[in-house]
Structure formats: C-alpha cells, structure tokens
Amino acid sequence: MPSESKLKYKYGQLWVKDGFLLVFYIFLFDELKNDNSDFIELKKELVQNIDNILMDMFGFLDFNEFIISDELKNSIIHHIEKIITKVNEESNYFSLENLDTILSDIKIYHSENLDYEPSKEMISNIYDENLYTVKDNYVEEFNDIKSLLEKDYRI
C-alpha cells in the first residue's frame, strides 16, 4: 500500500495514510449508500479510490468536487460523526468481518456502476486480525478528516 494520499477541501489539505483512508472510504460509502442522489458521484469516487488503494495505488480525494453547499458539507460531517460513534460504541462495527461485508457490497456497486472490474482483494488479506486494538488511531484520523471539512479556510 502506498504511504499516504491527500484529501482536499477548500484551501485545506490533509495527508492521510492509505491504510486509514481505505477503512474510512469503506465506512463512508456504507453511510452514504442509502443517501439521496446528491452523493452519487462521491460514492463512485469512493469506490474508485477503494479499488485504487487495494491495488497499491493512491486514494486522493478533493471534496471540493462533491461538496457544493453547506448542507452537503454538514451531511458528510454528520456521516463521519456516525462512523466515529459506531467505531467507539458497536463492538462488531470496527472488525475485519464487517469491513469485508461492506467491501463485498461495494464491489457489487462497482460492477453495476463503473466500467471496469473491481479488485479481487479483501480486507482480511491486507489487515492484521488485531485491527481492533488500534481503533483509537483510526478514530483520531477520522476526527482529523472531519476537522478538514469543518474549518473555514479563507485566503
């Protein structure tokens, strides 16, 4: 897995290790899967980035392309907060099994909505079984991503 990819929003940027981003993208896709049509392009971008990271490429994401209003920004922030709450409070949420289950759904979405085959990699082939022991590190990174969106960047 490459070392880091960049997230951008307005004039801010955040470099995040791809191992954290892969899990974040999977959880964010899962949160957005039943959301309205405002996030169709973001979901496609998340799916592409998930596949890129699984194939040892980068997962850059420019939120400026998808967040066109404060309402959408606040909705994504709310979804990130829900992810953080689930990681902290639901014992099976932050697990290899759950990530692989969500990833299977993502691969179905990928097959139906993108014009190339998804990677065959699964989370359990990449991450250690002790993933749960470092969940606080993931929560910290997810909070940093949320902060990127919350800041009011001005020139």
Side-chain angles (χ1 to χ4, degrees), residues 44-96:
K44 287 181 183 177
E45 185 72 17
L46 290 171
V47 169
Q48 288 176 325
N49 281 336
I50 289 165
D51 207 53
N52 287 344
I53 294 172
L54 287 170
M55 295 187 308
D56 286 332
M57 296 191 298
F58 296 99
F60 296 110
L61 182 61
D62 185 349
F63 281 107
N64 294 309
E65 296 176 24
F66 309 102
I67 299 176
I68 56 174
S69 70
D70 283 343
E71 181 182 337
L72 291 177
K73 177 184 86 167
N74 292 333
S75 179
I76 291 175
I77 289 170
H78 175 72
H79 285 300
I80 295 170
E81 289 169 343
K82 285 173 57 177
I83 292 167
I84 293 168
T85 299
K86 287 178 182 179
V87 168
N88 282 325
E89 295 178 1
E90 296 180 20
S91 61
N92 292 326
Y93 184 73
F94 192 73
S95 68
L96 294 178

Side-chain angles (χ1 to χ4, degrees), residues 94-111:
F94 192 73
S95 68
L96 294 178
E97 295 80 16
N98 187 42
L99 286 164
D100 271 339
T101 299
I102 297 169
L103 186 57
S104 294
D105 293 340
I106 289 170
K107 288 176 189 252
I108 292 168
Y109 180 91
H110 183 137
S111 296

Side-chain angles (χ1 to χ4, degrees), residues 13-152:
Q13 62 183 14
L14 178 67
W15 287 89
V16 180
K17 292 187 187 296
D18 288 329
F20 291 114
L21 269 184
L22 179 59
V23 172
F24 174 73
Y25 288 163
I26 290 170
F27 283 148
L28 184 57
F29 178 89
D30 191 50
E31 282 295 317
L32 296 175
K33 72 180 175 192
N34 296 321
D35 216 310
N36 62 34
S37 61
D38 292 328
F39 295 117
I40 289 173
E41 292 305 315
L42 176 56
K43 288 188 280 193
K44 287 181 183 177
E45 185 72 17
L46 290 171
V47 169
Q48 288 176 325
N49 281 336
I50 289 165
D51 207 53
N52 287 344
I53 294 172
L54 287 170
M55 295 187 308
D56 286 332
M57 296 191 298
F58 296 99
F60 296 110
L61 182 61
D62 185 349
F63 281 107
N64 294 309
E65 296 176 24
F66 309 102
I67 299 176
I68 56 174
S69 70
D70 283 343
E71 181 182 337
L72 291 177
K73 177 184 86 167
N74 292 333
S75 179
I76 291 175
I77 289 170
H78 175 72
H79 285 300
I80 295 170
E81 289 169 343
K82 285 173 57 177
I83 292 167
I84 293 168
T85 299
K86 287 178 182 179
V87 168
N88 282 325
E89 295 178 1
E90 296 180 20
S91 61
N92 292 326
Y93 184 73
F94 192 73
S95 68
L96 294 178
E97 295 80 16
N98 187 42
L99 286 164
D100 271 339
T101 299
I102 297 169
L103 186 57
S104 294
D105 293 340
I106 289 170
K107 288 176 189 252
I108 292 168
Y109 180 91
H110 183 137
S111 296
E112 294 172 350
N113 293 283
L114 299 174
D115 60 357
Y116 65 97
E117 287 296 313
S119 164
K120 305 259 187 270
E121 282 292 332
M122 295 303 288
I123 293 296
S124 53
N125 298 339
I126 299 172
Y127 289 87
D128 189 282
E129 290 181 14
N130 296 322
L131 177 70
Y132 189 81
T133 62
V134 294
K135 79 171 186 162
D136 291 341
N137 298 342
Y138 282 80
V139 169
E140 185 177 326
E141 287 293 333
F142 298 167
N143 275 313
D144 287 346
I145 295 168
K146 183 179 100 166
S147 293
L148 173 71
L149 299 177
E150 290 175 326
K151 289 181 183 170
D152 186 17

